[in-house]
Amino acid sequence: MNWRLELVFALLTMVLFLTAVVINSWLFQKLEHVPGINWIYLPAGIRLLCTLLFAHAGAFGLLIISWVVSFFYFFPHDPERAFVGGIIGGLSPYLAYLIAQRFWGLAASLANLGAKQLLWLSVGYAFANSSIHHIYFAIRGQPDLLQGLTAMFIGDLGGTLLVLYACKLGLALSLQSVRG
């Protein structure tokens, strides 16, 4: 693939993720469990969506923007957490994408990604992201891991389902209006 197109995909991913962070902060500020963990987290849905659409370019864009958001917004006084969190934030949806490719033969067009597979992919991604984060938190000796893990899993799953099914509905409505 053309490196310029890859760069456009990475930049688009960064813009979409940053927009989702702002919208999430505005809409769901009261649902923040602790900084970086929300009971509804729309950026999680953008992470999976952009990885599905743009593959490694999406994952690269997520890595960069996750670092920016983590270093300058969520954890400006904890560079280790910002650094590791950015890696996990970019890696988790890419792992889910690779697993879907391997086990479901996920096509680049996503044509064979139905509602059932989308649900399982969302659950798998939310589980992977929250688990990997909390393994890191356990290594750091952070307390209250179960409550944080639960909040992150629910928030990532809820945000992912909201974003992905809203996009799926939008596509269906667009196709319906074009056809009829």
Side-chain angles (χ1 to χ4, degrees), residues 10 16 23 29-30 35 39 44 50 62 68 85 92 100 108 110 117 128 137 155 157-158:
L16 289 172
I23 291 170
Q29 181 178 17
K30 300 232 187 270
W39 287 98
C50 288
L62 287 171
V68 170
S92 297
L110 305 179
Q117 289 88 1
F137 298 156
L157 181 59

Side-chain angles (χ1 to χ4, degrees), residues 93-105:
Y94 194 64
L95 287 174
Y97 167 78
L98 292 175
I99 290 169
Q101 274 191 319
R102 171 89 166 107
F103 291 103
W104 294 334

Side-chain angles (χ1 to χ4, degrees), residues 41-57:
Y41 194 59
L42 297 175
I46 296 297
R47 283 179 177 153
L48 188 56
L49 176 68
C50 288
T51 304
L52 288 171
L53 293 175
F54 309 135
H56 57 274

Side-chain angles (χ1 to χ4, degrees), residues 93-153:
Y94 194 64
L95 287 174
Y97 167 78
L98 292 175
I99 290 169
Q101 274 191 319
R102 171 89 166 107
F103 291 103
W104 294 334
L106 186 63
S109 67
L110 305 179
N112 62 337
L113 186 61
K116 183 178 176 182
Q117 289 88 1
L118 202 55
L119 175 62
W120 281 111
L121 189 59
S122 298
V123 170
Y125 158 64
F127 178 77
N129 188 57
S130 58
S131 297
I132 295 169
H133 270 96
H134 281 78
I135 289 169
Y136 166 68
F137 298 156
I139 292 168
R140 284 188 70 170
Q142 183 173 325
D144 300 325
L145 292 174
L146 186 58
Q147 189 177 19
L149 175 69
T150 302
M152 185 178 277
F153 173 76

Side-chain angles (χ1 to χ4, degrees), residues 33-74:
H33 175 66
V34 295
I37 299 178
N38 293 63
W39 287 98
I40 295 177
Y41 194 59
L42 297 175
I46 296 297
R47 283 179 177 153
L48 188 56
L49 176 68
C50 288
T51 304
L52 288 171
L53 293 175
F54 309 135
H56 57 274
F60 177 74
L62 287 171
L63 172 66
I64 300 303
I65 196 63
S66 293
W67 275 339
V68 170
V69 170
S70 292
F71 276 105
F72 295 105
Y73 181 64
F74 288 120

